[in-house]
Amino acid sequence: MTKFELVTAADVQLMQGLAQRVTATRPDLISAGASYGELAWIWGRGHSAHGASWPRRLWFSGDDLVAWGWAHLPHQVRRSDGSVKEVADANLTYQVHPDHAGLVDEVIDWYDGVAVGLDRTVCPTDAEEFALKRWAAHGYATDPSSLGDTGYWTQLNERDLTDVEQPVLPDGFRFRTAEEAGPKAAVQAQRDAWAPSSYTAESYEGVRQTAGYRGDLHILVEAPDGTMASSTILWLDEVNKTVEFEPVGTHPDHRRRGLARAMLLHGMQLARAAGATHATVVCLGAPGYPKARGLYYGVGFRELSRDAPLIKTKTAA
């Protein structure tokens, strides 16, 4: 690992800048994990625990970042129930500006060098026609785990904010912000929604320090008993006047009450008041995962693009 540069907070801000430039012209080319908000969320929640396994490379044209690769190498994930998940393969998040598409070969070569001896995966979008051909030429093929009704891939959904319904919460529930509720409540809401979770107070502090985080756009729904029953963070890209919901989660004991729907509508109204005209959210796209997709479609989102998960096994390599 010592011969590789590791991702820093300054790198993430450069990556977010590239995400903004690509979003302005070709939002369908934003790779999985490479959006303005997703970059902040992934870095913030995980860098303290996993940053030592995150090598990166940056490519510039003059002063402008035009491509980057961020590899996630094998590591352990410790969860709230005491279990430990072993991540044994490599995964790449990357972005190449469409005006510099030829750099994808350099990204691939770098990734193959970083992930020598490992199974390695990557998720371009299905709109990256040139890149998909180059990944194939380097020995990457469709990941079998992405096939079928329970395939693990995501789709990016979008809608405009011209006409947003009024949110309706059940009696006794109310909207809060993380600024109002405090760090402890914000952390517990995330841990409850995604249990068993690796999210900690340290994770949240990392998220709060990222570029783009706003406590007034971190929304929670408080139940009558004081439980934070649902939560989401809105990442506002002021350059493109778009907002991204990531993550979105509800406590298991409070699901199917319309909390997430109301929270999304409330969030869209807050985003519009902050200057946004457009919203995005990601969900699992395979047919076997209809719940989140149905939630988002129910509040006006529609698919913009989807992952095309690829893999190169260490045997093939």
Side-chain angles (χ1 to χ4, degrees), residues 237-293:
D237 171 0
E238 295 180 344
V239 171
N240 292 298
K241 297 184 178 180
T242 188
V243 69
E244 178 179 359
F245 291 88
E246 175 61 26
V248 179
T250 300
H251 192 297
D253 293 343
H254 292 282
R255 291 173 184 167
R256 306 190 68 81
R257 294 185 177 185
L259 302 184
R261 174 186 173 85
M263 181 175 65
L264 290 166
L265 293 172
H266 179 63
M268 284 187 266
Q269 291 188 337
L270 290 180
R272 189 168 63 179
T277 60
H278 179 264
T280 63
V281 68
V282 168
C283 66
L284 290 173
Y289 304 105
K291 292 182 180 179
R293 184 169 58 251

Side-chain angles (χ1 to χ4, degrees), residues 80-98:
S80 55
D81 62 354
S83 64
V84 177
K85 178 183 177 182
E86 297 284 348
V87 178
D89 56 0
N91 177 261
L92 178 73
T93 306
Y94 80 99
Q95 189 68 62
V96 177
H97 192 285

Side-chain angles (χ1 to χ4, degrees), residues 204-217:
Y204 179 47
E205 186 57 32
V207 171
R208 293 175 68 190
Q209 297 303 316
T210 59
Y213 175 81
R214 287 176 49 172
D216 63 328
L217 293 179

Side-chain angles (χ1 to χ4, degrees), residues 295-314:
L295 166 66
Y296 300 134
Y297 283 11
V299 293
F301 286 94
R302 290 296 180 266
E303 180 183 334
L304 171 63
S305 62
R306 59 176 61 187
D307 292 345
L310 305 175
I311 188 170
K312 182 195 276 189
T313 65
K314 56 189 174 185

Side-chain angles (χ1 to χ4, degrees), residues 6-294:
L6 298 177
V7 180
T8 68
D11 295 335
V12 173
Q13 291 189 54
L14 288 172
M15 295 171 183
Q16 288 178 299
L18 178 55
Q20 289 174 313
R21 300 202 309 277
V22 176
T23 295
T25 57
R26 289 293 306 275
D28 57 328
L29 296 182
I30 296 291
S31 302
S35 63
Y36 179 84
E38 191 74 24
L39 284 164
W41 170 245
I42 293 172
W43 163 259
R45 72 178 182 184
H47 73 86
S48 62
H50 309 302
S53 63
W54 287 351
R56 62 79 169 150
R57 184 172 172 189
L58 310 177
W59 285 260
F60 290 87
S61 176
D63 293 331
D64 294 329
L65 181 71
V66 294
W68 56 264
W70 174 355
H72 300 245
L73 299 183
H75 59 279
Q76 290 185 333
V77 179
R78 299 185 180 277
R79 297 182 287 196
S80 55
D81 62 354
S83 64
V84 177
K85 178 183 177 182
E86 297 284 348
V87 178
D89 56 0
N91 177 261
L92 178 73
T93 306
Y94 80 99
Q95 189 68 62
V96 177
H97 192 285
D99 291 346
H100 299 268
L103 287 174
V104 71
D105 282 295
E106 293 190 34
V107 173
I108 298 170
D109 287 339
W110 173 80
Y111 182 39
D112 281 340
V114 167
V116 170
L118 300 171
D119 290 344
R120 60 206 75 157
T121 59
V122 64
C123 285
T125 75
D126 61 356
E128 295 180 72
E129 296 180 3
F130 175 77
L132 289 170
K133 291 177 182 178
R134 299 314 305 152
W135 285 105
H138 285 261
Y140 287 77
T142 298
D143 187 346
S145 68
S146 71
L147 303 175
D149 285 353
T150 57
Y152 196 80
W153 52 271
T154 63
Q155 67 180 53
L156 176 63
N157 308 289
E158 66 170 353
R159 62 155 290 173
D160 67 52
L161 299 179
T162 303
D163 184 20
V164 180
E165 295 177 50
Q166 289 296 320
V168 178
L169 284 173
D171 290 344
F173 288 80
R174 62 172 177 161
F175 294 118
R176 303 290 301 279
T177 68
E179 280 186 348
E180 298 166 342
K184 185 176 180 180
V187 171
Q188 194 61 49
Q190 175 70 16
R191 287 167 68 87
D192 288 343
W194 298 98
S197 171
S198 60
Y199 201 68
T200 64
E202 187 175 25
S203 304
Y204 179 47
E205 186 57 32
V207 171
R208 293 175 68 190
Q209 297 303 316
T210 59
Y213 175 81
R214 287 176 49 172
D216 63 328
L217 293 179
H218 185 167
I219 305 170
L220 304 100
V221 177
E222 184 178 2
D225 65 359
T227 300
M228 295 302 164
S230 198
S231 67
T232 187
I233 301 176
L234 283 68
W235 301 95
L236 179 62
D237 171 0
E238 295 180 344
V239 171
N240 292 298
K241 297 184 178 180
T242 188
V243 69
E244 178 179 359
F245 291 88
E246 175 61 26
V248 179
T250 300
H251 192 297
D253 293 343
H254 292 282
R255 291 173 184 167
R256 306 190 68 81
R257 294 185 177 185
L259 302 184
R261 174 186 173 85
M263 181 175 65
L264 290 166
L265 293 172
H266 179 63
M268 284 187 266
Q269 291 188 337
L270 290 180
R272 189 168 63 179
T277 60
H278 179 264
T280 63
V281 68
V282 168
C283 66
L284 290 173
Y289 304 105
K291 292 182 180 179
R293 184 169 58 251

